[in-house]
């Protein structure tokens, strides 16, 4: 005969289904239980057992959607040895029924023996008592809880992104303030450099004016000397014409003339050297002026680059502010979604409570057979 242990039944007997094995005529009707009585709802684990001729009980069928099928360890042909450490080998089916049946949601430990390729090994399985509908309702509740946990996780992630955006905004503000301070420092350095260049340019102009004045003074001194040289030459000619006899005096005059000539030539050479020095100084001043103009051009380029970087930082700041506003809007959307999920969860909980209150097992008449549903 067979023993079927599945959906909810009513203690102390429960609801049983009789299945007759084909080809067997010796069936002990005293081993079949059926009937119904009052009491709390009880259930089995979704297994259809078959008792062999030697008294052993094996798994005949596994109910779809039951606890045994969901767990997945039990197979057809496995022999049950004990229930919650109580041995059931050789025991009547009433003992097996009383041990397996229990309140929905409770657990029972079953020990099985399986023969695989001539070798037998035992294993334990811990199954929850309950019908397929009861187990499905538990799965639906877990699914809703998983969705709520997922939404909470998304909310935490959104809050974390908001915090990261705030940190990035603070960093950009500090960077912009640092760039402003550096820009002000460069502006002060540029002003100091311009003042220094102006002083150097004024000094060079003053040196150039002094050199020009020295040149003019040398020219002024050279002109009287040239005039005096002409006068001496004319005087010498007159002396030659008038006093040809005064040779010694003429020789003396010649020596004086030669000495004066040498002195004048030295003065002339010095004047030429002064002119060359003035020319070199003028060329140096022009070169220094070119370097100053190049430096001013480089400083203008740096100032233009600084202004462009400041505009770029302003644009980045506006982009970061827009991102922060998007994150805040996303946070509001997530909060609305969480509220909707809480409302749906409350509605689902109410519907589930109404369903459990309306669930009443059907009554059936007593019938003596060899199979029972547990």
């Amino acid at each position: 005969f067979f023993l079927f242990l599945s959906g909810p039944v009513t203690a102390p007997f429960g609801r049983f289904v009789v299945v007759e094995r084909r080809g067997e005529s010796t069936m002990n009707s005293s081993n079949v239980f059926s009937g119904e009585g009052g009491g709390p709802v009880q259930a089995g684990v979704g297994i259809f057992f078959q008792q062999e001729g030697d008294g052993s009980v094996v798994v005949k069928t596994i109910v779809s959607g039951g606890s045994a099928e969901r767990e997945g360890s039990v197979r057809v042909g496995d022999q049950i040895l004990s229930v919650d450490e109580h041995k059931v080998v050789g025991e009547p089916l009433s003992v097996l029924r009383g041990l397996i049946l229990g309140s929905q949601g409770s657990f029972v430990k079953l020990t099985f023996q399986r023969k695989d390729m001539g070798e037998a090994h035992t294993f334990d399985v811990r199954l929850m008592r309950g019908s397929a509908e009861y187990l499905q309702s538990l799965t639906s509740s877990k699914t809703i809880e998983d969705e709520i946990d997922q939404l909470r996780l998304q909310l935490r992630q959104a809050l974390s992104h908001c915090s990261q955006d705030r940190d990035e905004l603070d960093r950009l503000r500090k960077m912009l303030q640092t760039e402003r301070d550096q820009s002000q420092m460069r502006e002060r350095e540029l002003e100091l450099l311009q003042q220094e260049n102006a002083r150097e340019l004024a000094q060079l102009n003053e040196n150039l004016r002094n050199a020009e004045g020295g040149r003019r003074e040398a020219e002024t001194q050279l002109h009287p000397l040239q005039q005096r040289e002409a006068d001496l030459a004319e005087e010498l000619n007159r002396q030659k014409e008038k006093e040809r006899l005064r040779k010694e005096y003429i020789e003396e005059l010649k020596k004086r003339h030669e000495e004066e000539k040498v002195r004048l030539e030295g003065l002339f050479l010095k004047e030429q050297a002064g002119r060359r020095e003035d020319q070199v100084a003028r060329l140096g001043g022009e070169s220094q002026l070119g370097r100053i103009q190049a430096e001013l051009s480089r400083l203008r380029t740096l100032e233009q680059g600084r202004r462009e970087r400041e505009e770029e930082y302003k644009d980045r700041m506006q982009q970061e502010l827009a991102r922060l506003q998007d994150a805040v809007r996303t946070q509001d959307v997530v909060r609305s979604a969480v509220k909707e999920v809480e409302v749906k969860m409350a509605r689902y909980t109410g519907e589930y409570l109404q369903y459990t209150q309306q669930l009443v097992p059907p009554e059936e008449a007593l019938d003596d057979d060899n199979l029972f549903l547990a």
Side-chain angles (χ1 to χ4, degrees), residues 39-216:
V41 176
Q42 294 189 339
V45 293
I47 299 176
F48 189 23
F49 289 102
Q50 175 182 351
Q51 190 171 31
E52 301 291 341
D54 58 358
S56 62
V57 180
V58 297
V59 177
K60 178 64 177 178
T61 306
I62 298 176
V63 180
S64 176
S67 180
E69 185 191 49
R70 290 174 180 270
E71 199 277 335
S73 298
V74 182
R75 300 180 185 174
V76 175
D78 293 342
Q79 179 183 355
I80 185 168
L81 301 180
S82 63
V83 178
D84 286 337
E85 305 300 336
H86 295 285
K87 294 182 179 179
V88 296
V89 178
E91 296 290 339
L93 291 178
S94 60
V95 175
L96 180 60
R97 169 187 172 279
L99 293 174
I100 292 180
L101 289 178
S103 301
Q104 287 198 115
S106 61
F107 287 87
V108 60
K109 177 182 176 182
L110 305 180
T111 302
F112 292 92
Q113 184 182 64
R114 178 180 299 165
K115 293 182 180 181
D116 190 5
M117 298 181 65
E119 296 182 358
H121 65 278
T122 61
F123 60 94
D124 296 332
V125 179
R126 189 169 181 266
L127 301 176
M128 177 187 286
R129 298 183 178 96
S131 64
E133 294 80 4
Y134 176 77
L135 298 175
Q136 183 64 31
S137 65
L138 293 180
T139 304
S140 300
S141 299
K142 291 182 179 179
T143 303
I144 295 174
E145 292 177 357
D146 293 340
E147 292 179 358
I148 294 174
D149 293 338
Q150 184 67 23
L151 290 174
R152 288 176 179 172
L153 177 60
Q154 293 178 1
L155 178 60
R156 287 195 294 269
Q157 291 177 353
L159 294 176
S160 177
H161 289 319
C162 290
S163 178
Q164 293 177 0
D165 292 338
R166 291 193 187 96
D167 295 339
E168 181 67 15
L169 183 59
D170 294 337
R171 187 181 67 81
L172 290 175
R173 287 176 178 173
K174 292 179 180 179
M175 184 184 298
L176 181 59
Q177 184 63 32
T178 303
E179 289 294 333
R180 288 178 179 175
D181 295 339
Q182 292 178 357
S183 176
Q184 292 177 359
M185 186 179 297
R186 286 195 294 269
E187 289 178 356
R188 289 194 294 270
E189 292 177 356
L190 180 61
E191 291 177 358
L192 294 176
L193 184 60
Q194 289 177 350
Q195 294 176 1
E196 184 67 22
N197 291 335
R199 286 195 297 270
E200 291 181 359
L201 184 61
Q203 185 66 31
L204 290 175
N205 291 330
E206 183 66 23
N207 293 335
L208 185 61
R209 286 194 296 271
N210 293 334
E212 185 68 21
R215 184 184 64 79
R216 291 177 181 177

Side-chain angles (χ1 to χ4, degrees), residues 280-291:
V280 171
R282 184 171 60 256
L283 293 176
E286 292 176 354
S287 177
Q288 184 70 17
L289 181 61
R291 287 195 298 272

